[in-house]
Each structure stands twice: as C-alpha cells, then as structure tokens.
Amino acid sequence: MKVIKIDKKEWAKGLERLSKTYQLFGPAKHEAFFVFKALEDGELPDLDVQNTRLSPRSVIYPQSEKMFEYTLDEDQEDHHILKEIDKEYSSRAIIGIRPCDAKAFLLVKRNFDAPEYKDPYWIKSYEATTLVGHGCNAPCSCCFCTTAGCGPFHEEGLDILLVDVDDTYLAKIITEKGDRLLAAAGWDTKTDTATNDPIENMKEAAEAKITSMVSTDQLKDKSTTDLFEASFWEDVSFACINCGTCTYVCPTCWCFDIQDETHGLSGIRMRNWDSCMYPLFTFHGSGHNPRDTKTQRVRQRFMHKLKYYVDKYDNGIQCVGCGRCVRFCPVNIDIRRVCDLMNSFEL
Amino acid sequence: MQNPYLPYPVRIEEIITETEDKNLKTFKLVFLNPDDENKFNYNAGQFAELSIAGKGEIPIGIASSPTEKGFLMFTVNKVGLVTSHLHNMKPGDIMGVRGPLGNWYPWDIMEGKNVIIIGGGFAFTTLRSSIIYMLDPANRPKYKDIHVIYGARTPGMLLYRDELSEWEKRDDIHMHITVDATDDPNWKYNVGFVPTITDQKAPSGNTDTYAIVCGPPIMIKFTQPVLDKLDYAHDHIIMSLEMRMKCGIGICGRCNIGKEFVCKDGPVFTLDQLNSMPKEY
C-alpha cells in the first residue's frame, strides 16, 4: 500500500485542482455547529474538528430526496404516472471523514445493496463518492470504536487515510478510487519516501487513548426472544422522551418514509429519514400499533443494532462506536450500558 | 439498474362494491403497457403496493389468481388517506402498481397434500387467489382435499358472494361458509364463529394436511387452540401477516418482527416460525 507525503502548504492548491472534477464535501461550521457540507470555492474542510454533530450520511443518503415526479393535469398524456427524475451522480469526495463514519457506510450498504433488491439512489450515490478519511489522533472521551469493530485509524470503507503529522499529511492510498483522486489533486507524489511506520505508531497511540469499551461477544448466542422479553427494557427506556436524536445523529441508521408532495397539479414522491422512535413509524391504518409504547420503540432500536443485525448479517453489530448518541441523548441513555446489559444477560 | 420503487402504470377497469357496509371495494386493474403484465409474475399469497400519485402507496394482498390473465384484482378496506381516495376513484382512472412483493403460500410443499383454508372478514383476498389457483384445471390434480372455512359478521359482509355460491356447487372443494349471526330466514349455510365451525368441520391434522389461516387477530387467537386440538403441527399452520409498510422490499426498516421483514421475508410465515420470533405484531 502506497503512502505519500502531502506538504500542508500544498494542501489547498490540491483541493482546488480536485474541485474541478470532484464536488467536495467536508466538515465546516454551519451556524453554531460543524456539519459535513458541500464546500464552496476556496473553502477548506476544517480538519481540526473532532467530529460533527450529524454524521456525514446525508452526503450519500440525503435527509430528503426526490424519487419521482408526476402531473395530475389530465390534459397531459402521462397524468398520474410516476416518472423517474434525472439525477446527477458525478464524482464527489468527502474530505476529512472519520474512519468510524466511513465504516458505517459499509454497514448500511448491506441494507441498500442487498442480493434481492438494490436501492438505486443510495448505490449510485455511494459509488460516485470517494472517501478521504482523517485518522483520529485525539479521539473523544465517549468514542468506543475499538470494541465496536472499528478504530481511530480503521481503513475499512476508506479510499484514502490521511494522518496529520506536524506540517504534513501522510496519505495512505487504500483503493483505486483513492488513487484516482490523488492523481486529480496533483500533489507532488515524488516525495514517496514516507513509510507506513509513523502511521502504525500513531495508530497504536490513538487506540490506547480509547478507554471506553463495549462487550459484544455473547450477543449472537443469546436467544432473540429471551432478550426481547428481558426485564431491563423498562428501566433502559424509562427516561427516554422519544425525541429521535439518537437515530438522526447515528451514521448507521437508515430508516425512511415515503411521501407524496403536490403543488398545484404537479408533485414529487420523495423519501425522508424516519425514526423507529416515533409512534407513527409502525402505526397501522386500522389503529393497531405493534410498537405503541416507548419501551417497545427503545427496545426495537437497541435490538436492531445489537441483535437483529448481528443475526441477520453475521458481521458484527450495527454500530461503529462513534459515540454521538451517547453525547447527544438529552436523558443520558447510553448504548454502551445497554450493550453490556444485553451481552451479559442471563435468564 | 432497475428501480424497485417505480410502479407500473395501470388503469382501473372495474370497481365492485363487495359488502353491505360499502367499506370494501374490489378494483380490477389493467396494465397500460402490456409488457408490464409479463414482468408482474406472481404467486397466490403475494401482495403489491397500490400507488396513487399525490396520495401515496398501500400494501394490499393480490386477490386475483396468477391463472387469471389480463388484469389484477385487489379488494381494499377503506381506512386511511390512500384507501379513502381510492374508494372515490372511477373506472378509467390511472394509478400504479408496484410488485409483486413478499413471499407466498408454499404451493410446492403443499403439492399432494390436503389444504384447509380458514379465513375471516376481509382477510379473504389472497385466499380467494389461492382457491382460484388450486381450482384451475391445470392445478387441481396437484392437491388432495380442499376445505374452505370462511366467516364474516353477516351474510352481507362476505366477499365474492357469487363465487362462494359457485364453489358451494362443486364437488372438488368443501365449502363451510359461516356468519356470526343473521336474521335472514333463507340463510342456508352455517351460523357461528370461525373457530367453532373449524372445530366442527375441519379434518384432523396430519403430515399430509396444511392449514392456511388468515383473519383478524381475535379469530386467529381462538382458532389456534382448535387447530392444536385437531393435531395440526405448527409447521403445518401457515399464516399471513399485516404490517405498516412503505418500501415493500425490506429496506425502509419499519415492518420488522425481530430480524425478519414482513414485506420481504413474509408476509407468509408458519406458526412454527412465528413461535421463535418476538411477539411484536
């Protein structure tokens, strides 16, 4: 695997060249908070940010997305027929994505790119995107990535890993997509003398800083129905106000709703992020609701991430340990605690 | 890449008001593009999303049988936004159909076996599809005895009444139609709840007999002990579930029971499967 050295003085120029062929996204301040946003001409991603409040999932999977359009004007030949919308999937890159958020796209891919059905919007958008990661030299106190199948320098899901070393970025090229991006940026790759060693050392140092952990080794062997019936759900969900924050900040949550919006005689069918925290999510037309209490909804969220996903894909939990839901939950519900309750559950 | 969210355009060919309360209507739909009918290759027990531009989509069991060509049929109960709008539409109106979706009754496994259909209320739609499918001359030899136990609140609440009386006349299907109550002196069929009639009329369970049960939760709750008493093994009791759905293809995340999605892994499950799943439906 090739590692090149990018002089920070050359950084901005390279991104400018890159912006000719790629639409660039990166962490930047938007109003009071940092988000992943489309960078304007000359705007640089702020790589000093530990991580954003919202994950970058919206770059590939927008919070609201048009699917189809239609006209209700009966004078038009195609009235009431849904038509596909031309969408743009030109090359784009997320500069400065954290390794956990990049790995999250791989977890979510199992849902959108399944053997039986392919979600064309998600897949085309994902394929058009190059992920330039940024290793975490100073992880947050509630990150638990190292025991959630990820890590501060984790490469899975990334095309390039950047490591900040004094006045340079070491760039580890992980995929061909990453190679193509570097070529387009045109940084001087002749200083190809850097080795993997400093990265390995920094990786170990960063991993050592993560002291928050979860245990997941027993989850697969637990009985689904026993966990479902466990007595701790009432306690876990007691303080929950069903605000949905956990599901909106999570990089691995993917649920959506489909709605039609009509203005005059024309309209669009669109999809919007939805959340299992809301009672309407499962509310039948008949009035019946299989998850009409918050305990049932909180249980669904944790069971999905820590049991159903584990059983369905046999590839770990549906969580990368980014710690956002822990940080932003207004009532301090902590997935690490719930995970340990589930993992150590005995009848 | 084919877009699984894009409905096929269809025209409403005919609308039949099925029940005396006028809350159930059957919609006969014809594909605008004849090629689409070939792509819509379905089995009895599957469902589809009915799509109305500007209103949205609803998951509805397919009431027509794959042996009936040239149209699709859906019987829709009026409950919410989309179904209420649909009930006000007219023949000739354009809408969409997306599917077929979900799994179906295990026709391959049931080959050579007795099939007992137990239905209640308006859950009879995919059961109609199944009966028409099995009675098709090409398929009837594949199945042994066919029993149908079908109940509604009153005679006027039964679906497909003309077909029911046709089937009553045949000797290759045993019909046990029942109503909860009636003051009609000419009513010549059973009176009593579905579990009671099942107890009286259904053959005993054995390895060669499968029961397909579809109906309101209360009917299912009281029918199951009867089937247990009649010795039906739980992997020989087949059920079809309903759930709020959007995508219909296992992606949008709302219709799960444990790790199974009712839209993609169901809606058909054996009671044996349901026993090992969380009770959240």
Side-chain angles (χ1 to χ4, degrees):
Chain A
M1 225 173 287
K2 196 160 72 171
V3 178
I4 69 156
K5 213 179 228 178
I6 301 168
D7 191 322
K8 283 187 181 170
K9 281 184 237 141
E10 301 298 314
W11 176 242
K13 274 183 241 163
L15 289 186
E16 197 187 326
R17 283 189 292 270
L18 203 53
S19 68
K20 305 274 188 285
T21 43
Y22 285 77
Q23 190 187 3
L24 300 184
F25 294 82
K29 202 160 190 183
H30 175 70
E31 295 172 355
F33 299 97
F34 286 92
V35 292
F36 279 86
K37 64 187 274 287
L39 300 173
E40 283 154 37
D41 275 349
E43 188 181 7
L44 291 174
D46 190 334
L47 297 187
D48 293 329
V49 183
Q50 254 183 334
N51 210 351
T52 51
R53 258 196 331 171
L54 287 172
S55 83
R57 82 175 191 217
S58 62
V59 176
I60 283 168
Y61 172 38
Q63 184 163 350
S64 287
E65 178 168 30
K66 290 179 190 173
M67 303 172 84
F68 304 110
E69 59 188 6
Y70 53 81
T71 174
L72 305 180
D73 180 357
E74 302 209 351
D75 292 335
Q76 307 289 325
E77 204 180 320
D78 56 359
H79 69 89
H80 289 85
I81 295 177
L82 291 155
K83 295 176 294 283
E84 294 203 67
I85 296 173
D86 282 335
K87 301 189 94 160
E88 201 254 340
Y89 293 106
S90 59
S91 299
R92 62 198 70 174
I94 308 181
I95 311 291
I97 187 173
R98 291 300 186 180
C100 55
D101 289 338
K103 165 92 191 262
F105 284 124
L106 291 184
L107 301 192
V108 169
K109 187 172 190 287
R110 298 195 179 104
N111 182 57
F112 286 107
D113 189 1
E116 309 93 317
Y117 290 107
K118 310 274 177 207
D119 185 289
Y121 309 108
W122 192 94
I123 292 173
K124 285 179 191 168
S125 186
Y126 179 74
E127 285 174 351
T129 309
T130 304
L131 300 179
V132 181
H134 183 208
C136 301
N137 289 338
C140 314
S141 59
C142 46
C143 290
F144 54 101
C145 52
T146 48
T147 48
C150 197
F153 282 56
H154 200 75
E155 294 169 14
E156 214 184 346
L158 284 175
D159 298 299
I160 294 173
L161 174 66
L162 293 178
V163 178
D164 191 331
V165 187
D166 306 327
D167 52 359
T168 60
Y169 291 118
L170 296 182
K172 188 166 181 178
I173 303 157
I174 297 160
T175 65
E176 271 179 40
K177 245 183 180 178
D179 228 355
R180 282 197 295 276
L181 180 134
L182 276 187
W187 283 298
D188 182 6
T189 51
K190 280 193 294 260
T191 54
D192 192 0
T193 50
T195 69
N196 219 357
D197 292 349
I199 298 185
E200 283 303 317
N201 294 338
M202 294 175 77
K203 177 182 172 180
E204 276 171 36
E207 283 174 354
K209 286 180 195 162
I210 293 175
T211 51
S212 175
M213 317 237 165
V214 289
S215 305
T216 60
D217 55 319
Q218 305 294 315
L219 291 170
K220 190 154 172 49
D221 293 332
K222 300 283 177 203
S223 141
T224 297
T225 46
D226 287 351
L227 278 177
F228 186 85
E229 306 285 350
S231 56
F232 56 70
W233 294 115
E234 192 69 38
D235 171 53
V236 164
S237 64
F238 183 75
C240 179
I241 54 172
N242 268 193
C243 65
T245 298
C246 49
T247 58
Y248 275 73
V249 298
C250 179
T252 71
C253 273
W254 63 59
C255 293
F256 61 85
D257 185 22
I258 300 175
Q259 290 288 337
D260 287 7
E261 267 192 21
T262 308
H263 297 281
L265 287 176
S266 59
I268 50 167
R269 177 160 292 172
M270 62 196 305
R271 69 166 167 200
N272 308 301
W273 292 353
D274 205 344
S275 168
C276 57
M277 287 297 106
Y278 304 148
L280 284 182
F281 190 60
T282 50
F283 188 60
H284 292 206
S286 64
H288 173 62
N289 191 348
R291 294 199 278 266
D292 66 346
T293 68
K294 73 172 178 186
T295 300
Q296 292 167 324
R297 296 192 286 276
V298 169
R299 172 174 61 188
Q300 159 65 18
R301 173 171 156 80
F302 289 118
M303 285 291 280
H304 185 212
K305 293 209 175 291
L306 304 173
K307 181 59 182 166
Y308 305 152
Y309 188 93
V310 172
D311 287 352
K312 185 163 178 150
Y313 299 109
D314 197 12
N315 230 311
I317 55 175
Q318 188 198 341
C319 172
V320 289
C322 75
R324 284 186 180 90
C325 58
V326 179
R327 278 199 295 285
F328 297 114
C329 177
V331 297
N332 297 324
I333 293 175
D334 190 328
I335 191 172
R336 295 170 299 183
R337 174 177 167 258
V338 179
C339 187
D340 287 340
L341 278 174
M342 290 172 69
N343 196 61
S344 61
F345 177 72
E346 298 294 342
L347 263 187
Chain B
M1 198 182 307
Q2 205 203 326
N3 190 328
Y5 300 103
L6 184 66
Y8 299 119
V10 293
R11 182 169 40 79
I12 300 176
E13 174 98 334
E14 193 186 350
I15 302 175
I16 303 153
T17 302
E18 292 283 352
T19 51
E20 61 190 3
D21 69 352
K22 299 187 172 58
N23 229 36
L24 282 144
K25 288 185 179 178
T26 292
F27 297 83
K28 233 175 171 179
L29 309 175
V30 174
F31 289 95
L32 288 192
N33 310 315
D35 281 353
D36 290 345
E37 186 181 349
N38 300 326
K39 291 186 218 156
F40 195 99
N41 189 3
Y42 67 102
N43 289 290
Q46 287 191 282
F47 72 98
E49 289 278 354
L50 302 186
S51 166
I52 299 174
K55 297 296 167 190
E57 295 187 315
I58 41 169
I60 304 285
I62 305 171
S64 51
S65 154
T67 52
E68 297 174 299
K69 300 297 177 194
F71 65 92
L72 292 175
M73 202 173 105
F74 298 87
T75 302
V76 180
N77 188 28
K78 190 168 92 174
V79 281
L81 175 79
V82 181
T83 54
S84 299
H85 186 88
L86 183 59
H87 268 241
N88 287 329
M89 287 171 77
K90 302 176 299 297
D93 285 349
I94 303 298
M95 51 181 281
V97 169
R98 193 155 65 78
L101 301 169
N103 66 354
W104 49 89
Y105 302 122
W107 299 113
D108 49 346
I109 294 173
M110 292 190 296
E111 237 175 70
K113 314 285 186 191
N114 305 306
V115 179
I116 317 301
I117 284 179
I118 303 171
F122 47 82
F124 198 62
T125 57
T126 60
L127 299 180
R128 179 211 176 261
S129 171
S130 303
I131 293 166
I132 300 275
Y133 171 77
M134 285 190 289
L135 291 181
D136 186 82
N139 295 327
R140 186 61 193 88
K142 293 184 201 163
Y143 303 97
K144 296 204 319 211
D145 283 358
I146 301 173
H147 285 261
V148 176
I149 299 161
Y150 173 38
R153 274 173 283 152
T154 61
M157 289 303 291
L158 289 162
L159 300 177
Y160 320 124
R161 287 192 291 277
D162 292 346
E163 286 173 324
L164 293 178
S165 48
E166 287 301 310
W167 297 334
E168 278 282 355
K169 291 176 201 150
R170 299 176 64 131
D171 58 5
D172 58 352
I173 180 167
H174 306 282
M175 297 297 294
H176 312 285
I177 297 168
T178 184
V179 292
D180 297 353
T182 180
D183 50 12
D184 177 359
N186 298 319
W187 176 251
K188 53 187 183 205
Y189 308 111
N190 303 286
V191 176
F193 294 121
V194 166
T196 313
I197 304 302
T198 304
D199 195 13
Q200 293 166 5
K201 309 279 184 177
S204 298
N206 56 44
T207 51
D208 267 355
T209 306
Y210 282 84
I212 302 177
V213 186
C214 268
I218 190 78
M219 183 203 98
I220 290 175
K221 184 178 170 190
F222 288 103
T223 302
Q224 195 193 314
V226 174
L227 290 175
D228 283 343
K229 190 180 129 193
L230 290 169
D231 268 346
Y232 280 78
H234 285 183
D235 61 352
H236 280 51
I237 300 176
I238 297 154
M239 308 176 99
S240 181
L241 301 189
E242 289 192 324
M243 211 41 111
R244 180 172 197 172
M245 297 174 187
K246 289 285 178 170
C247 73
I249 54 177
I251 296 182
C252 82
R254 74 199 57 235
C255 72
N256 72 298
I257 301 173
K259 68 180 171 58
E260 315 294 337
F261 284 104
V262 173
C263 69
K264 183 169 83 56
D265 307 307
V268 175
F269 297 95
T270 65
L271 181 54
D272 196 39
Q273 289 172 312
L274 290 174
N275 290 342
S276 68
M277 287 154 64
K279 299 279 168 289
E280 196 175 53
Y281 42 88

